[in-house]
Amino acid sequence: MTSRISLIILILLLGLFRPVTGQEQPLKDYADAHKDKKFCFYPSTLRMINIKKNPDFNELVSGIEKLLVYTLDSTAKADQSYTEIIKSYQEIGFEEYASAYGGETNFFLYGKEEAEDNQFVGVFKNDDEVMAFYMHGNIAWQSIPKLLQSFQKGDVMNIFTLNEKQFENDPDDK
């Protein structure tokens, strides 16, 4: 009897966590076939890239539980199939927060805010690259302009320009 109750509680708990991970699945499915790189950030890793310890940046990222960023391949850019991500999220109840398109730049931001579960997805395309992201958590959108004004070059590490080869083991270092 006790093992049945434990099993039921376990199933219920697993069921509680499914909606959170399920919302990132459309982006993950698309990105698995079209990604060049994938980055996953949590509050601690976001604070680590804040080299100058800018308090505005730390405040902005403090409510983020998880941020997934994908740089997408040239196929995604060429055929503009990244727009399918947005359609998938619209179908599951995400609302448009912002969009900008024209020329070589496109930007889409969609969100789904609930009492304890805020989620956002977005795509940014410029003439050089396409990036898609999924964010779970709270962010103070109104503080972004203040943050941008306070940034100086070098305040935050640009992880997208890191050279992967510098992290590979050199066989001569033994």
PDB file of all heavy atoms in Angstrom, residues 2-37:
ATOM      1  N   THR A   2       1.917   1.274   0.821  1.00  0.00           N
ATOM      2  CA  THR A   2       2.807   2.431   0.902  1.00  0.00           C
ATOM      3  C   THR A   2       3.532   2.647  -0.418  1.00  0.00           C
ATOM      4  O   THR A   2       3.736   3.786  -0.840  1.00  0.00           O
ATOM      5  CB  THR A   2       3.834   2.233   2.034  1.00  0.00           C
ATOM      6  OG1 THR A   2       3.150   1.859   3.217  1.00  0.00           O
ATOM      7  CG2 THR A   2       4.617   3.486   2.275  1.00  0.00           C
ATOM      8  N   SER A   3       3.922   1.570  -1.070  1.00  0.00           N
ATOM      9  CA  SER A   3       4.624   1.717  -2.352  1.00  0.00           C
ATOM     10  C   SER A   3       3.688   2.275  -3.428  1.00  0.00           C
ATOM     11  O   SER A   3       4.127   3.025  -4.299  1.00  0.00           O
ATOM     12  CB  SER A   3       5.231   0.399  -2.801  1.00  0.00           C
ATOM     13  OG  SER A   3       4.217  -0.562  -2.994  1.00  0.00           O
ATOM     14  N   ARG A   4       2.406   1.926  -3.373  1.00  0.00           N
ATOM     15  CA  ARG A   4       1.440   2.495  -4.326  1.00  0.00           C
ATOM     16  C   ARG A   4       1.280   3.993  -4.115  1.00  0.00           C
ATOM     17  O   ARG A   4       1.226   4.747  -5.072  1.00  0.00           O
ATOM     18  CB  ARG A   4       0.076   1.826  -4.168  1.00  0.00           C
ATOM     19  CG  ARG A   4      -0.082   0.635  -4.992  1.00  0.00           C
ATOM     20  CD  ARG A   4      -1.511   0.197  -5.010  1.00  0.00           C
ATOM     21  NE  ARG A   4      -1.534  -1.200  -5.370  1.00  0.00           N
ATOM     22  CZ  ARG A   4      -2.508  -2.021  -5.173  1.00  0.00           C
ATOM     23  NH1 ARG A   4      -3.603  -1.594  -4.563  1.00  0.00           N
ATOM     24  NH2 ARG A   4      -2.443  -3.248  -5.537  1.00  0.00           N
ATOM     25  N   ILE A   5       1.187   4.416  -2.874  1.00  0.00           N
ATOM     26  CA  ILE A   5       1.056   5.840  -2.565  1.00  0.00           C
ATOM     27  C   ILE A   5       2.306   6.578  -3.039  1.00  0.00           C
ATOM     28  O   ILE A   5       2.223   7.644  -3.640  1.00  0.00           O
ATOM     29  CB  ILE A   5       0.799   6.051  -1.055  1.00  0.00           C
ATOM     30  CG1 ILE A   5      -0.583   5.499  -0.695  1.00  0.00           C
ATOM     31  CG2 ILE A   5       0.898   7.527  -0.688  1.00  0.00           C
ATOM     32  CD1 ILE A   5      -0.880   5.480   0.780  1.00  0.00           C
ATOM     33  N   SER A   6       3.477   5.994  -2.794  1.00  0.00           N
ATOM     34  CA  SER A   6       4.728   6.610  -3.243  1.00  0.00           C
ATOM     35  C   SER A   6       4.762   6.714  -4.763  1.00  0.00           C
ATOM     36  O   SER A   6       5.196   7.736  -5.312  1.00  0.00           O
ATOM     37  CB  SER A   6       5.931   5.803  -2.770  1.00  0.00           C
ATOM     38  OG  SER A   6       5.979   5.775  -1.372  1.00  0.00           O
ATOM     39  N   LEU A   7       4.303   5.677  -5.437  1.00  0.00           N
ATOM     40  CA  LEU A   7       4.264   5.691  -6.898  1.00  0.00           C
ATOM     41  C   LEU A   7       3.300   6.756  -7.414  1.00  0.00           C
ATOM     42  O   LEU A   7       3.618   7.503  -8.347  1.00  0.00           O
ATOM     43  CB  LEU A   7       3.871   4.312  -7.428  1.00  0.00           C
ATOM     44  CG  LEU A   7       3.819   4.153  -8.943  1.00  0.00           C
ATOM     45  CD1 LEU A   7       5.189   4.405  -9.550  1.00  0.00           C
ATOM     46  CD2 LEU A   7       3.328   2.768  -9.306  1.00  0.00           C
ATOM     47  N   ILE A   8       2.151   6.872  -6.807  1.00  0.00           N
ATOM     48  CA  ILE A   8       1.165   7.883  -7.208  1.00  0.00           C
ATOM     49  C   ILE A   8       1.719   9.285  -6.988  1.00  0.00           C
ATOM     50  O   ILE A   8       1.607  10.150  -7.851  1.00  0.00           O
ATOM     51  CB  ILE A   8      -0.170   7.674  -6.450  1.00  0.00           C
ATOM     52  CG1 ILE A   8      -0.853   6.389  -6.944  1.00  0.00           C
ATOM     53  CG2 ILE A   8      -1.089   8.884  -6.631  1.00  0.00           C
ATOM     54  CD1 ILE A   8      -2.039   5.963  -6.117  1.00  0.00           C
ATOM     55  N   ILE A   9       2.366   9.492  -5.844  1.00  0.00           N
ATOM     56  CA  ILE A   9       2.969  10.806  -5.571  1.00  0.00           C
ATOM     57  C   ILE A   9       4.060  11.105  -6.596  1.00  0.00           C
ATOM     58  O   ILE A   9       4.145  12.219  -7.114  1.00  0.00           O
ATOM     59  CB  ILE A   9       3.508  10.867  -4.126  1.00  0.00           C
ATOM     60  CG1 ILE A   9       2.331  10.867  -3.144  1.00  0.00           C
ATOM     61  CG2 ILE A   9       4.392  12.097  -3.916  1.00  0.00           C
ATOM     62  CD1 ILE A   9       2.738  10.727  -1.693  1.00  0.00           C
ATOM     63  N   LEU A  10       4.889  10.133  -6.925  1.00  0.00           N
ATOM     64  CA  LEU A  10       5.938  10.315  -7.911  1.00  0.00           C
ATOM     65  C   LEU A  10       5.356  10.673  -9.274  1.00  0.00           C
ATOM     66  O   LEU A  10       5.828  11.606  -9.942  1.00  0.00           O
ATOM     67  CB  LEU A  10       6.805   9.061  -8.019  1.00  0.00           C
ATOM     68  CG  LEU A  10       7.919   9.110  -9.063  1.00  0.00           C
ATOM     69  CD1 LEU A  10       8.938  10.185  -8.699  1.00  0.00           C
ATOM     70  CD2 LEU A  10       8.585   7.765  -9.186  1.00  0.00           C
ATOM     71  N   ILE A  11       4.318   9.976  -9.697  1.00  0.00           N
ATOM     72  CA  ILE A  11       3.678  10.269 -10.984  1.00  0.00           C
ATOM     73  C   ILE A  11       3.091  11.673 -10.989  1.00  0.00           C
ATOM     74  O   ILE A  11       3.229  12.419 -11.958  1.00  0.00           O
ATOM     75  CB  ILE A  11       2.604   9.202 -11.319  1.00  0.00           C
ATOM     76  CG1 ILE A  11       3.282   7.865 -11.617  1.00  0.00           C
ATOM     77  CG2 ILE A  11       1.734   9.646 -12.485  1.00  0.00           C
ATOM     78  CD1 ILE A  11       2.336   6.689 -11.730  1.00  0.00           C
ATOM     79  N   LEU A  12       2.446  12.057  -9.894  1.00  0.00           N
ATOM     80  CA  LEU A  12       1.891  13.411  -9.805  1.00  0.00           C
ATOM     81  C   LEU A  12       2.982  14.469  -9.860  1.00  0.00           C
ATOM     82  O   LEU A  12       2.845  15.488 -10.546  1.00  0.00           O
ATOM     83  CB  LEU A  12       1.065  13.569  -8.528  1.00  0.00           C
ATOM     84  CG  LEU A  12      -0.262  12.826  -8.496  1.00  0.00           C
ATOM     85  CD1 LEU A  12      -0.902  12.930  -7.121  1.00  0.00           C
ATOM     86  CD2 LEU A  12      -1.200  13.350  -9.567  1.00  0.00           C
ATOM     87  N   LEU A  13       4.083  14.238  -9.154  1.00  0.00           N
ATOM     88  CA  LEU A  13       5.184  15.202  -9.177  1.00  0.00           C
ATOM     89  C   LEU A  13       5.801  15.310 -10.571  1.00  0.00           C
ATOM     90  O   LEU A  13       6.116  16.402 -11.039  1.00  0.00           O
ATOM     91  CB  LEU A  13       6.258  14.836  -8.157  1.00  0.00           C
ATOM     92  CG  LEU A  13       5.894  15.097  -6.704  1.00  0.00           C
ATOM     93  CD1 LEU A  13       6.979  14.562  -5.773  1.00  0.00           C
ATOM     94  CD2 LEU A  13       5.674  16.573  -6.466  1.00  0.00           C
ATOM     95  N   LEU A  14       5.971  14.189 -11.227  1.00  0.00           N
ATOM     96  CA  LEU A  14       6.501  14.229 -12.590  1.00  0.00           C
ATOM     97  C   LEU A  14       5.541  14.959 -13.520  1.00  0.00           C
ATOM     98  O   LEU A  14       5.968  15.695 -14.413  1.00  0.00           O
ATOM     99  CB  LEU A  14       6.768  12.812 -13.116  1.00  0.00           C
ATOM    100  CG  LEU A  14       7.947  12.082 -12.477  1.00  0.00           C
ATOM    101  CD1 LEU A  14       8.008  10.645 -12.968  1.00  0.00           C
ATOM    102  CD2 LEU A  14       9.256  12.804 -12.752  1.00  0.00           C
ATOM    103  N   GLY A  15       4.285  14.790 -13.299  1.00  0.00           N
ATOM    104  CA  GLY A  15       3.279  15.493 -14.094  1.00  0.00           C
ATOM    105  C   GLY A  15       3.328  16.996 -13.889  1.00  0.00           C
ATOM    106  O   GLY A  15       3.060  17.772 -14.795  1.00  0.00           O
ATOM    107  N   LEU A  16       3.699  17.435 -12.695  1.00  0.00           N
ATOM    108  CA  LEU A  16       3.803  18.864 -12.434  1.00  0.00           C
ATOM    109  C   LEU A  16       4.940  19.508 -13.211  1.00  0.00           C
ATOM    110  O   LEU A  16       4.873  20.663 -13.584  1.00  0.00           O
ATOM    111  CB  LEU A  16       4.023  19.108 -10.933  1.00  0.00           C
ATOM    112  CG  LEU A  16       2.850  18.823 -10.020  1.00  0.00           C
ATOM    113  CD1 LEU A  16       3.274  18.999  -8.562  1.00  0.00           C
ATOM    114  CD2 LEU A  16       1.678  19.732 -10.338  1.00  0.00           C
ATOM    115  N   PHE A  17       5.993  18.762 -13.460  1.00  0.00           N
ATOM    116  CA  PHE A  17       7.145  19.334 -14.134  1.00  0.00           C
ATOM    117  C   PHE A  17       7.061  19.222 -15.657  1.00  0.00           C
ATOM    118  O   PHE A  17       7.794  19.882 -16.358  1.00  0.00           O
ATOM    119  CB  PHE A  17       8.441  18.675 -13.647  1.00  0.00           C
ATOM    120  CG  PHE A  17       8.717  18.997 -12.217  1.00  0.00           C
ATOM    121  CD1 PHE A  17       8.618  18.025 -11.241  1.00  0.00           C
ATOM    122  CD2 PHE A  17       9.041  20.288 -11.828  1.00  0.00           C
ATOM    123  CE1 PHE A  17       8.866  18.325  -9.913  1.00  0.00           C
ATOM    124  CE2 PHE A  17       9.283  20.601 -10.507  1.00  0.00           C
ATOM    125  CZ  PHE A  17       9.193  19.617  -9.551  1.00  0.00           C
ATOM    126  N   ARG A  18       6.179  18.446 -16.194  1.00  0.00           N
ATOM    127  CA  ARG A  18       6.070  18.281 -17.643  1.00  0.00           C
ATOM    128  C   ARG A  18       5.724  19.563 -18.384  1.00  0.00           C
ATOM    129  O   ARG A  18       6.326  19.836 -19.403  1.00  0.00           O
ATOM    130  CB  ARG A  18       5.040  17.203 -17.988  1.00  0.00           C
ATOM    131  CG  ARG A  18       5.571  15.811 -17.876  1.00  0.00           C
ATOM    132  CD  ARG A  18       4.515  14.835 -18.334  1.00  0.00           C
ATOM    133  NE  ARG A  18       4.210  15.020 -19.733  1.00  0.00           N
ATOM    134  CZ  ARG A  18       4.616  14.229 -20.690  1.00  0.00           C
ATOM    135  NH1 ARG A  18       5.359  13.199 -20.398  1.00  0.00           N
ATOM    136  NH2 ARG A  18       4.281  14.444 -21.944  1.00  0.00           N
ATOM    137  N   PRO A  19       4.776  20.387 -17.926  1.00  0.00           N
ATOM    138  CA  PRO A  19       4.439  21.573 -18.693  1.00  0.00           C
ATOM    139  C   PRO A  19       5.608  22.529 -18.884  1.00  0.00           C
ATOM    140  O   PRO A  19       5.754  23.131 -19.922  1.00  0.00           O
ATOM    141  CB  PRO A  19       3.330  22.234 -17.871  1.00  0.00           C
ATOM    142  CG  PRO A  19       2.748  21.151 -17.047  1.00  0.00           C
ATOM    143  CD  PRO A  19       3.875  20.205 -16.786  1.00  0.00           C
ATOM    144  N   VAL A  20       6.472  22.639 -17.899  1.00  0.00           N
ATOM    145  CA  VAL A  20       7.596  23.549 -18.015  1.00  0.00           C
ATOM    146  C   VAL A  20       8.545  23.094 -19.117  1.00  0.00           C
ATOM    147  O   VAL A  20       8.945  23.865 -19.962  1.00  0.00           O
ATOM    148  CB  VAL A  20       8.335  23.664 -16.656  1.00  0.00           C
ATOM    149  CG1 VAL A  20       9.616  24.441 -16.793  1.00  0.00           C
ATOM    150  CG2 VAL A  20       7.420  24.301 -15.630  1.00  0.00           C
ATOM    151  N   THR A  21       8.911  21.813 -19.105  1.00  0.00           N
ATOM    152  CA  THR A  21       9.834  21.341 -20.124  1.00  0.00           C
ATOM    153  C   THR A  21       9.140  21.189 -21.459  1.00  0.00           C
ATOM    154  O   THR A  21       9.769  21.323 -22.486  1.00  0.00           O
ATOM    155  CB  THR A  21      10.473  19.998 -19.712  1.00  0.00           C
ATOM    156  OG1 THR A  21       9.428  19.050 -19.499  1.00  0.00           O
ATOM    157  CG2 THR A  21      11.315  20.152 -18.474  1.00  0.00           C
ATOM    158  N   GLY A  22       7.844  20.942 -21.465  1.00  0.00           N
ATOM    159  CA  GLY A  22       7.119  20.765 -22.711  1.00  0.00           C
ATOM    160  C   GLY A  22       7.073  22.029 -23.548  1.00  0.00           C
ATOM    161  O   GLY A  22       7.003  21.971 -24.768  1.00  0.00           O
ATOM    162  N   GLN A  23       7.111  23.194 -22.908  1.00  0.00           N
ATOM    163  CA  GLN A  23       7.026  24.452 -23.634  1.00  0.00           C
ATOM    164  C   GLN A  23       8.297  24.740 -24.429  1.00  0.00           C
ATOM    165  O   GLN A  23       8.260  25.448 -25.406  1.00  0.00           O
ATOM    166  CB  GLN A  23       6.732  25.605 -22.676  1.00  0.00           C
ATOM    167  CG  GLN A  23       5.437  25.453 -21.920  1.00  0.00           C
ATOM    168  CD  GLN A  23       4.214  25.475 -22.816  1.00  0.00           C
ATOM    169  OE1 GLN A  23       4.076  26.314 -23.679  1.00  0.00           O
ATOM    170  NE2 GLN A  23       3.332  24.507 -22.628  1.00  0.00           N
ATOM    171  N   GLU A  24       9.428  24.220 -23.987  1.00  0.00           N
ATOM    172  CA  GLU A  24      10.655  24.452 -24.748  1.00  0.00           C
ATOM    173  C   GLU A  24      10.812  23.458 -25.896  1.00  0.00           C
ATOM    174  O   GLU A  24      11.645  23.657 -26.769  1.00  0.00           O
ATOM    175  CB  GLU A  24      11.903  24.447 -23.849  1.00  0.00           C
ATOM    176  CG  GLU A  24      11.939  23.426 -22.788  1.00  0.00           C
ATOM    177  CD  GLU A  24      13.167  23.508 -21.883  1.00  0.00           C
ATOM    178  OE1 GLU A  24      13.109  24.187 -20.856  1.00  0.00           O
ATOM    179  OE2 GLU A  24      14.152  22.842 -22.216  1.00  0.00           O
ATOM    180  N   GLN A  25       9.983  22.436 -25.941  1.00  0.00           N
ATOM    181  CA  GLN A  25      10.149  21.362 -26.913  1.00  0.00           C
ATOM    182  C   GLN A  25      10.033  21.800 -28.376  1.00  0.00           C
ATOM    183  O   GLN A  25      10.834  21.349 -29.194  1.00  0.00           O
ATOM    184  CB  GLN A  25       9.171  20.220 -26.616  1.00  0.00           C
ATOM    185  CG  GLN A  25       9.627  18.909 -27.185  1.00  0.00           C
ATOM    186  CD  GLN A  25      10.988  18.468 -26.652  1.00  0.00           C
ATOM    187  OE1 GLN A  25      11.241  18.502 -25.460  1.00  0.00           O
ATOM    188  NE2 GLN A  25      11.860  18.077 -27.545  1.00  0.00           N
ATOM    189  N   PRO A  26       9.089  22.663 -28.759  1.00  0.00           N
ATOM    190  CA  PRO A  26       9.055  23.054 -30.175  1.00  0.00           C
ATOM    191  C   PRO A  26      10.365  23.675 -30.654  1.00  0.00           C
ATOM    192  O   PRO A  26      10.844  23.363 -31.744  1.00  0.00           O
ATOM    193  CB  PRO A  26       7.907  24.072 -30.246  1.00  0.00           C
ATOM    194  CG  PRO A  26       7.015  23.714 -29.110  1.00  0.00           C
ATOM    195  CD  PRO A  26       7.944  23.220 -28.021  1.00  0.00           C
ATOM    196  N   LEU A  27      10.968  24.501 -29.830  1.00  0.00           N
ATOM    197  CA  LEU A  27      12.248  25.113 -30.212  1.00  0.00           C
ATOM    198  C   LEU A  27      13.358  24.068 -30.239  1.00  0.00           C
ATOM    199  O   LEU A  27      14.169  24.034 -31.157  1.00  0.00           O
ATOM    200  CB  LEU A  27      12.618  26.259 -29.270  1.00  0.00           C
ATOM    201  CG  LEU A  27      13.949  26.943 -29.561  1.00  0.00           C
ATOM    202  CD1 LEU A  27      14.006  27.491 -30.979  1.00  0.00           C
ATOM    203  CD2 LEU A  27      14.210  28.049 -28.557  1.00  0.00           C
ATOM    204  N   LYS A  28      13.393  23.196 -29.239  1.00  0.00           N
ATOM    205  CA  LYS A  28      14.411  22.145 -29.203  1.00  0.00           C
ATOM    206  C   LYS A  28      14.310  21.250 -30.430  1.00  0.00           C
ATOM    207  O   LYS A  28      15.326  20.903 -31.037  1.00  0.00           O
ATOM    208  CB  LYS A  28      14.277  21.293 -27.941  1.00  0.00           C
ATOM    209  CG  LYS A  28      14.838  21.924 -26.715  1.00  0.00           C
ATOM    210  CD  LYS A  28      14.714  20.950 -25.552  1.00  0.00           C
ATOM    211  CE  LYS A  28      15.401  21.449 -24.335  1.00  0.00           C
ATOM    212  NZ  LYS A  28      15.346  20.510 -23.223  1.00  0.00           N
ATOM    213  N   ASP A  29      13.089  20.853 -30.788  1.00  0.00           N
ATOM    214  CA  ASP A  29      12.907  19.986 -31.949  1.00  0.00           C
ATOM    215  C   ASP A  29      13.429  20.648 -33.220  1.00  0.00           C
ATOM    216  O   ASP A  29      14.118  20.029 -34.026  1.00  0.00           O
ATOM    217  CB  ASP A  29      11.431  19.613 -32.142  1.00  0.00           C
ATOM    218  CG  ASP A  29      10.924  18.698 -31.044  1.00  0.00           C
ATOM    219  OD1 ASP A  29      11.739  18.089 -30.320  1.00  0.00           O
ATOM    220  OD2 ASP A  29       9.684  18.596 -30.898  1.00  0.00           O
ATOM    221  N   TYR A  30      13.093  21.910 -33.401  1.00  0.00           N
ATOM    222  CA  TYR A  30      13.553  22.636 -34.577  1.00  0.00           C
ATOM    223  C   TYR A  30      15.072  22.818 -34.545  1.00  0.00           C
ATOM    224  O   TYR A  30      15.766  22.564 -35.518  1.00  0.00           O
ATOM    225  CB  TYR A  30      12.868  24.005 -34.673  1.00  0.00           C
ATOM    226  CG  TYR A  30      13.371  24.816 -35.831  1.00  0.00           C
ATOM    227  CD1 TYR A  30      12.872  24.601 -37.114  1.00  0.00           C
ATOM    228  CD2 TYR A  30      14.365  25.771 -35.666  1.00  0.00           C
ATOM    229  CE1 TYR A  30      13.356  25.322 -38.196  1.00  0.00           C
ATOM    230  CE2 TYR A  30      14.846  26.495 -36.734  1.00  0.00           C
ATOM    231  CZ  TYR A  30      14.342  26.272 -38.001  1.00  0.00           C
ATOM    232  OH  TYR A  30      14.823  26.971 -39.061  1.00  0.00           O
ATOM    233  N   ALA A  31      15.586  23.232 -33.407  1.00  0.00           N
ATOM    234  CA  ALA A  31      17.012  23.534 -33.294  1.00  0.00           C
ATOM    235  C   ALA A  31      17.886  22.293 -33.438  1.00  0.00           C
ATOM    236  O   ALA A  31      18.999  22.379 -33.959  1.00  0.00           O
ATOM    237  CB  ALA A  31      17.302  24.238 -31.976  1.00  0.00           C
ATOM    238  N   ASP A  32      17.394  21.143 -33.007  1.00  0.00           N
ATOM    239  CA  ASP A  32      18.188  19.919 -33.158  1.00  0.00           C
ATOM    240  C   ASP A  32      18.551  19.666 -34.620  1.00  0.00           C
ATOM    241  O   ASP A  32      19.623  19.144 -34.914  1.00  0.00           O
ATOM    242  CB  ASP A  32      17.445  18.711 -32.587  1.00  0.00           C
ATOM    243  CG  ASP A  32      17.528  18.650 -31.074  1.00  0.00           C
ATOM    244  OD1 ASP A  32      18.379  19.349 -30.483  1.00  0.00           O
ATOM    245  OD2 ASP A  32      16.720  17.910 -30.470  1.00  0.00           O
ATOM    246  N   ALA A  33      17.674  20.046 -35.513  1.00  0.00           N
ATOM    247  CA  ALA A  33      17.934  19.845 -36.939  1.00  0.00           C
ATOM    248  C   ALA A  33      18.641  21.019 -37.601  1.00  0.00           C
ATOM    249  O   ALA A  33      19.148  20.890 -38.700  1.00  0.00           O
ATOM    250  CB  ALA A  33      16.617  19.573 -37.663  1.00  0.00           C
ATOM    251  N   HIS A  34      18.680  22.187 -36.935  1.00  0.00           N
ATOM    252  CA  HIS A  34      19.195  23.396 -37.585  1.00  0.00           C
ATOM    253  C   HIS A  34      20.231  24.178 -36.788  1.00  0.00           C
ATOM    254  O   HIS A  34      20.569  25.291 -37.162  1.00  0.00           O
ATOM    255  CB  HIS A  34      18.026  24.347 -37.893  1.00  0.00           C
ATOM    256  CG  HIS A  34      17.078  23.814 -38.904  1.00  0.00           C
ATOM    257  ND1 HIS A  34      15.976  23.085 -38.553  1.00  0.00           N
ATOM    258  CD2 HIS A  34      17.079  23.896 -40.253  1.00  0.00           C
ATOM    259  CE1 HIS A  34      15.326  22.745 -39.651  1.00  0.00           C
ATOM    260  NE2 HIS A  34      15.971  23.213 -40.688  1.00  0.00           N
ATOM    261  N   LYS A  35      20.737  23.634 -35.705  1.00  0.00           N
ATOM    262  CA  LYS A  35      21.620  24.447 -34.866  1.00  0.00           C
ATOM    263  C   LYS A  35      23.088  24.311 -35.268  1.00  0.00           C
ATOM    264  O   LYS A  35      23.534  23.264 -35.710  1.00  0.00           O
ATOM    265  CB  LYS A  35      21.450  24.099 -33.404  1.00  0.00           C
ATOM    266  CG  LYS A  35      22.073  22.779 -32.983  1.00  0.00           C
ATOM    267  CD  LYS A  35      21.920  22.546 -31.500  1.00  0.00           C
ATOM    268  CE  LYS A  35      22.587  21.256 -31.117  1.00  0.00           C
ATOM    269  NZ  LYS A  35      21.753  20.180 -30.778  1.00  0.00           N
ATOM    270  N   ASP A  36      23.805  25.427 -35.104  1.00  0.00           N
ATOM    271  CA  ASP A  36      25.258  25.404 -35.173  1.00  0.00           C
ATOM    272  C   ASP A  36      25.805  25.237 -33.760  1.00  0.00           C
ATOM    273  O   ASP A  36      26.687  24.438 -33.517  1.00  0.00           O
ATOM    274  CB  ASP A  36      25.806  26.708 -35.771  1.00  0.00           C
ATOM    275  CG  ASP A  36      25.745  26.717 -37.289  1.00  0.00           C
ATOM    276  OD1 ASP A  36      25.739  25.635 -37.897  1.00  0.00           O
ATOM    277  OD2 ASP A  36      25.698  27.811 -37.867  1.00  0.00           O
ATOM    278  N   LYS A  37      25.254  26.030 -32.829  1.00  0.00           N
ATOM    279  CA  LYS A  37      25.690  25.989 -31.431  1.00  0.00           C
ATOM    280  C   LYS A  37      24.483  26.118 -30.525  1.00  0.00           C
ATOM    281  O   LYS A  37      23.473  26.696 -30.899  1.00  0.00           O
ATOM    282  CB  LYS A  37      26.645  27.135 -31.134  1.00  0.00           C
ATOM    283  CG  LYS A  37      27.948  27.053 -31.877  1.00  0.00           C
ATOM    284  CD  LYS A  37      28.830  28.230 -31.554  1.00  0.00           C
ATOM    285  CE  LYS A  37      30.077  28.188 -32.409  1.00  0.00           C
ATOM    286  NZ  LYS A  37      30.888  29.385 -32.228  1.00  0.00           N
TER     287      LYS A  37
END
